[in-house]
Amino acid sequence: MKEFKLENGQKIASGFKTPDNYFDSLSAKVLEQIEQEKEAKVIPLYKRKKVISIAAAAAIFIAFIIPTANHYYKASKELDEATLETYLAYESNLNQYDLIKELDAKDIDKLNKNVALEEETLEDILATNPNIENLISE
């Protein structure tokens, strides 16, 4: 293999040329740009990320707490009528006579106002029910 010497090879002319007296005014231009950059306000990123992460954590915390708290408060305060009726019918030793004994005059008046049966409805119930004698005796 032939020895390659960098000094003896063909030189390729560069396509870049510096303007005349470019390096004489370069340091003045650089110093001028540095002084202008000192006036700019710098906001560090680590402080910004901390605020964003705290806000995101608070939003996630609230998103989990609201449905949970809402569920517990509603469930504990309200008693469903169907649940109460089912409990009294199947789980307790109460019968209809025990319930009637606990009613006072105001409760009976409320029941009379709320129950409005038409004659046709009564006739249909009595006609379709095979145990008419039991209904009459109760």
Side-chain angles (χ1 to χ4, degrees):
M1 184 181 231
K2 293 182 184 179
E3 283 187 41
F4 178 73
K5 291 190 178 181
L6 195 57
E7 295 93 25
N8 295 338
Q10 289 182 339
K11 303 275 182 176
I12 299 174
S14 173
F16 300 104
K17 293 182 182 178
T18 57
D20 294 334
N21 299 326
Y22 176 76
F23 291 106
D24 294 339
S25 62
L26 179 66
S27 62
K29 288 181 182 179
V30 170
L31 289 174
E32 186 178 315
Q33 287 180 353
I34 291 173
E35 289 175 5
Q36 288 177 357
E37 289 180 8
K38 286 182 181 178
E39 296 173 7
K41 184 178 177 182
V42 177
I43 300 172
L45 290 177
Y46 64 89
K47 288 183 181 178
R48 200 175 212 186
K49 288 182 181 179
K50 187 176 183 181
V51 172
I52 292 171
S53 63
I54 290 173
I60 291 171
F61 179 74
I62 289 172
F64 283 118
I65 291 299
I66 288 176
T68 306
N70 195 14
H71 173 70
Y72 284 120
Y73 287 124
K74 281 188 177 180
S76 64
K77 290 182 180 178
E78 296 178 4
L79 183 61
D80 189 17
E81 289 181 17
T83 307
L84 181 60
E85 185 178 341
T86 305
Y87 174 76
L88 291 175
Y90 297 110
E91 299 295 330
S92 69
N93 294 330
L94 290 175
N95 58 20
Q96 61 189 3
Y97 300 111
D98 293 336
L99 291 174
I100 291 171
K101 286 180 190 176
E102 297 298 323
L103 294 176
D104 58 354
K106 291 179 183 178
D107 295 331
I108 293 171
D109 289 340
K110 287 180 185 177
L111 288 172
N112 287 337
K113 289 179 184 176
N114 291 339
V115 177
L117 293 176
E118 297 180 9
E119 290 182 16
E120 294 176 6
T121 309
L122 282 174
E123 288 175 6
D124 289 340
I125 292 172
L126 293 174
T128 58
N129 196 345
N131 298 326
I132 295 175
E133 296 169 357
N134 290 340
L135 291 175
I136 293 172
S137 65
E138 288 182 5

